[in-house]
Amino acid sequence: MVRARSEERRAVIVRAALEVIAERGYRGATLAAVAERVGLTQQGLLHYFPTKEALLVAVLEERDHWDTSGGGGREGWRLDLVESLVEYNAMRPGIVQTFSALLGESVTEGHPAREFFTERYAQVRAHMAEVLRLEFGERLPGGLTPERAAPLLTAVMDGLQYQWLLDPSAVDMPGAFRDFVRLLYGGEDPS
Amino acid sequence: MVRARSEERRAVIVRAALEVIAERGYRGATLAAVAERVGLTQQGLLHYFPTKEALLVAVLEERDHWDTSGGGGREGWRLDLVESLVEYNAMRPGIVQTFSALLGESVTEGHPAREFFTERYAQVRAHMAEVLRLEFGERLPGGLTPERAAPLLTAVMDGLQYQWLLDPSAVDMPGAFRDFVRLLYGGEDPS
């Protein structure tokens, strides 16, 4: 019972953090701002999340959970669902900015989010390989296996986010991602 | 004469910073460590570079300058030279880590490196479009124009760096980039 209440409280905090991120971006999402939103002291918040990084990782995990739980979980995802995810991301710059900023920090020595991103990438690459296998079988039109195309698909998603965050008017993120999917099809229009 | 000496001194500092980055990574490259290397006090260093970010931007600008000044400048670059650059990057994790960490920070509100990266991306996309035009003409085998393929090429380079920095044993960065180039060729082996 105590445990259940604690998990409930954590979920409420994560939800509040997501709202603060959407409104104020990565820098504005301070522990103080999140604590105020849920009616806790900052000290009280630290009981649930000892650092800003720990809270942001929890927010990103929750986003991943929601993003992949439509359509019967991660199994059976199709490539056009990944395209829709990129379109959706283009409408939520706050969380994309948080993901991109924390990913950048995570490559530095001993960063608390390093393990999260390392494991997440292993999972995302495996998941994307399954998406590609479902779409193309064991070989893509260009000759790559799903396992070799998966890191490229993942890299394009992440790399485009930086270009788009820095200059949204210069980079059509969903359009560029669709261009990449067309490349995977060997240039044929998949529709 | 005074100006020339000041520029010389800046160049010496940037070179020292690159060495410190290579040895100690992004976090280890403190202003204090760089000042010590060039025999300045930290206060003396601040005269040339007021912040760590300003110094790191200068290092990245200098790297870009060197990377693109082989082979008669940016004009006439071929796609296999870009492949070589990715191979070269795989041998210098310190500077790639610095680039990736600073890029991550730069997407946050009011970051001092934001302008640098925004302008750099505009230049890199334009440059990559020229590389692609030289290679393929006005249409790539998959049907994309050079201008539409350029953000993808750039995104793959940057996105792969994050995956590789987090888990070098899981991601063959130069190999994956060559896979992408093969995709641009419509799956044909370009060699």
Side-chain angles (χ1 to χ4, degrees), chain B residues 86-108:
Chain B
V86 175
E87 264 167 52
Y88 181 36
N89 282 340
M91 292 183 289
R92 47 178 184 177
I95 188 82
V96 173
Q97 183 200 44
T98 297
F99 174 90
S100 300
L102 204 63
L103 172 60
E105 287 182 13
S106 77
V107 304
T108 60

Side-chain angles (χ1 to χ4, degrees), chain B residues 17 26 30 91-92 148 177:
Chain B
Y26 176 75
T30 60
M91 292 183 289
R92 47 178 184 177
R148 279 175 67 179
F177 187 72

Side-chain angles (χ1 to χ4, degrees), chain B residues 52-65:
Chain B
K52 177 174 174 172
E53 287 79 14
L55 176 55
L56 294 181
V57 163
V59 170
L60 294 177
E61 280 175 335
E62 188 66 8
R63 178 186 74 147
D64 283 344
H65 178 73

Side-chain angles (χ1 to χ4, degrees), chain B residues 124-140:
Chain B
V124 168
R125 283 191 297 261
H127 176 222
M128 290 303 162
E130 286 316 306
V131 170
L132 292 166
R133 179 164 283 110
L134 194 66
E135 195 85 14
F136 298 109
E138 290 305 318
R139 291 277 166 185
L140 278 73

Side-chain angles (χ1 to χ4, degrees), chain A residues 24-27 97 101 104 107-109 111 114 125 142 144 148 151-152 155-156 160 162-163 165 171 176 179 187, chain B residues 24-27 97 101 104 107-109 111 114 125 142 144 148 151-152 155-156 160 162-163 165 171 176 179 187:
Chain A
R24 307 188 201 173
Y26 176 74
R27 274 178 200 265
Q97 182 199 45
V107 304
T108 62
E109 293 80 5
H111 191 276
R114 186 174 178 117
R125 282 191 297 262
L144 290 179
R148 279 175 67 179
L152 302 178
V156 168
L160 285 175
Y162 288 102
Q163 296 181 52
L165 285 166
V171 178
D179 282 345
Chain B
R24 307 188 201 172
Y26 176 75
R27 274 180 198 265
Q97 183 200 44
V107 304
T108 60
E109 293 81 5
H111 191 275
R114 186 174 178 116
R125 283 191 297 261
L144 290 178
R148 279 175 67 179
L152 301 179
V156 167
L160 285 176
Y162 288 103
Q163 295 181 51
L165 286 166
V171 178
D179 282 346

